[in-house]
Amino acid sequence: MKLLTAPVNEAVTPHPYIHKVFNGSLWHQTPWTGPPNEDVEKAWYDIMKYGMISVTKEDIEKVHHPDWSTQFPAESGGGYIAATIGTHQLHCLHYIWQDHYMEYFPDTQEKKQPVPKLYERHYEHCIDYIRQSLMCQFDTGIIPYNWVLDHQNPTPNANTHHKCVDWVALQNWLQKRAVEVPKDFVWKQPADAIALGWNP
């Protein structure tokens, strides 16, 4: 099968990948780590804010999907609805993180209590989706081990070097394709829709 050419590649192709050093310290606090509060949640939503974007029929065909994929309502431009896989991966990681701090998220608790089987399905889906992504895009860098203080075991030093996507260029591409659906709009499957006969 021909390799996919995802439309988002046009955002990063003109920009060389950038060099980054991960701070892999157990004690390093980032804007995305708990305990949860409004600022931490805002940091998570800021990196996922362009969830549903509008793409063209050609974009849909490039990723080997049928051109009868769902479209936005005409009043929102009518483009094809899509999301980047990276955004979905971040959503899944956030979902797992929220589960760890369940007592802070009453909305999440309310979703879990009435349909616990569906909640668990979503949770396991997220674990496995991230697993598949990590195996597909396996980072071939190495983590050296060091002697540290008076520790008697070698300690992994995860402050490692990486070739990373240009996040700003990527976000600019997504922002141009972000769509505002009217607040009072109610999704309804059109009578002439071609619907999948299975749950993807």
Side-chain angles (χ1 to χ4, degrees):
M1 180 184 274
K2 184 181 171 187
L3 286 175
L4 301 180
T5 309
V8 73
N9 287 349
E10 69 188 56
V12 295
T13 299
H15 306 272
Y17 277 70
I18 57 178
H19 176 258
K20 287 222 176 230
V21 178
F22 286 8
N23 188 326
S25 168
L26 290 177
W27 294 271
H28 177 59
Q29 182 73 24
T30 77
W32 299 276
T33 51
N37 57 45
E38 284 185 23
D39 289 339
V40 176
E41 273 294 270
K42 181 180 184 310
W44 274 103
Y45 281 104
D46 280 352
I47 61 173
M48 301 184 293
K49 62 185 169 188
Y50 305 121
M52 291 168 65
I53 58 169
S54 177
V55 298
T56 65
K57 176 180 176 179
E58 291 71 32
D59 291 333
I60 290 290
E61 290 171 345
K62 282 179 187 175
V63 295
H64 301 174
H65 272 262
D67 65 4
W68 40 266
S69 295
T70 308
Q71 293 179 264
F72 283 106
E75 56 267 45
S76 295
Y80 287 83
I81 304 172
T84 60
I85 292 170
T87 303
H88 183 65
Q89 292 165 345
L90 289 170
H91 151 77
C92 274
L93 194 58
H94 180 244
Y95 189 85
I96 295 165
W97 179 82
Q98 281 190 321
D99 184 84
H100 180 63
Y101 290 105
M102 182 69 77
E103 68 283 355
Y104 182 83
F105 299 103
D107 288 350
T108 305
Q109 292 175 44
E110 286 173 18
K111 288 176 189 171
K112 184 175 184 177
Q113 287 162 358
V115 279
K117 279 190 178 179
L118 182 60
Y119 181 89
E120 288 303 315
R121 277 285 208 193
H122 191 175
Y123 187 90
E124 292 296 337
H125 151 79
C126 278
I127 293 285
D128 204 57
Y129 200 82
I130 293 171
R131 175 202 57 83
Q132 290 178 77
S133 298
L134 290 172
M135 289 177 70
C136 175
Q137 299 165 60
F138 189 85
D139 193 325
T140 55
I142 62 170
I143 298 174
Y145 279 61
N146 297 122
W147 292 113
V148 177
L149 302 172
D150 58 354
H151 299 182
Q152 296 308 306
N153 290 316
T155 301
N157 184 344
N159 298 299
T160 48
H161 295 258
H162 301 263
K163 185 172 82 168
C164 298
V165 69
D166 185 329
W167 183 257
V168 174
L170 176 67
Q171 292 301 294
N172 288 340
W173 187 93
L174 291 171
Q175 185 179 27
K176 288 174 189 170
R177 288 152 184 82
V179 174
E180 285 288 331
V181 176
K183 278 189 176 181
D184 57 349
F185 181 79
V186 177
W187 290 100
K188 187 177 179 183
Q189 191 171 135
D192 60 349
I194 302 173
L196 293 177
W198 50 284
N199 280 314

